[in-house]
Amino acid sequence: MQKPIMAVTGDETDEETELAPSHMAATTGDMPTYQIRAPTTALPQGVMMAASPGSLHSPQQLAEEATRKRELRLMKNREAAKECRRRKKEYVKCLESRVAVLEVQNKKLIEELETLKDICSPKTD
DNA sequence: TGAGCAACCCGTCACGTCGT
DNA sequence: ACGACGTGACGGGTTGCTCA
């Protein structure tokens, strides 16, 4: 069982923002949210709109209404969680490929630096 | 071959944020 | 205020691998 604690530092200076994580409102600062508010979609199939509370009377009906609301909420949350995880995976993949690019870039720069050092250093023989 | 483990996925709860 | 939504945390299930 692993509890992934993901701490992505939010202090990156990015030039090529691919996924552009909008950062959680200034309050929580350091956590990126990979959220793009999707347009609210229609209810999943099989979900009935609940009757308006005004039309309910018996405790039985109230209980049924509460159950229906809860199930609807659970179902929506289930979908939201899936979508959230999907976005998070995509975001992490994006970061990983960015790391790979930057590593290559860094290596090249180090090599270039060494070359220039060789050229500029006084000959010692 | 069964146990142990790591990596992954899922559903749910709790909580913060946002729009009304 | 309140409801809707996004997401971290948690617990549990599944799968593939390794090792005795």
Side-chain angles (χ1 to χ4, degrees):
Chain A
M1 213 115 321
Q2 38 95 259
K3 298 287 160 248
I5 307 292
M6 73 151 198
V8 180
T9 54
D11 57 347
E12 65 174 305
T13 60
D14 52 73
E15 47 264 298
E16 43 185 76
T17 312
E18 295 121 61
L19 214 139
S22 61
H23 284 73
M24 186 79 102
T27 44
T28 39
D30 56 349
M31 263 310 275
T33 62
Y34 351 92
Q35 68 175 17
I36 300 151
R37 290 251 172 176
T40 44
T41 56
L43 288 174
Q45 289 177 357
V47 175
M48 312 258 291
M49 285 309 289
S52 67
S55 66
L56 297 170
H57 9 275
S58 74
Q60 160 108 357
Q61 282 173 315
L62 289 172
E64 281 173 7
E65 170 66 4
T67 304
R68 207 164 32 231
K69 276 188 178 173
R70 175 181 155 76
E71 278 170 1
L72 182 58
R73 170 66 190 141
L74 288 181
M75 190 164 68
K76 281 187 175 179
N77 189 243
R78 200 148 51 224
E79 294 306 309
K82 277 184 194 163
E83 184 58 18
C84 180
R85 286 171 181 138
R86 190 193 61 76
R87 278 198 300 266
K88 185 169 171 179
K89 269 179 86 175
E90 202 175 312
Y91 174 65
V92 168
K93 256 205 281 198
C94 204
L95 286 182
E96 283 170 349
S97 57
R98 187 163 153 76
V99 165
V101 166
L102 289 175
E103 276 173 352
V104 168
Q105 207 174 328
N106 193 38
K107 200 176 161 195
K108 279 185 186 164
L109 286 172
I110 288 172
E111 283 170 8
E112 193 181 330
L113 178 63
E114 291 306 317
T115 307
L116 289 173
K117 271 190 198 165
D118 281 353
I119 293 172
C120 295
S121 64
K123 311 261 163 52
T124 57
D125 56 0

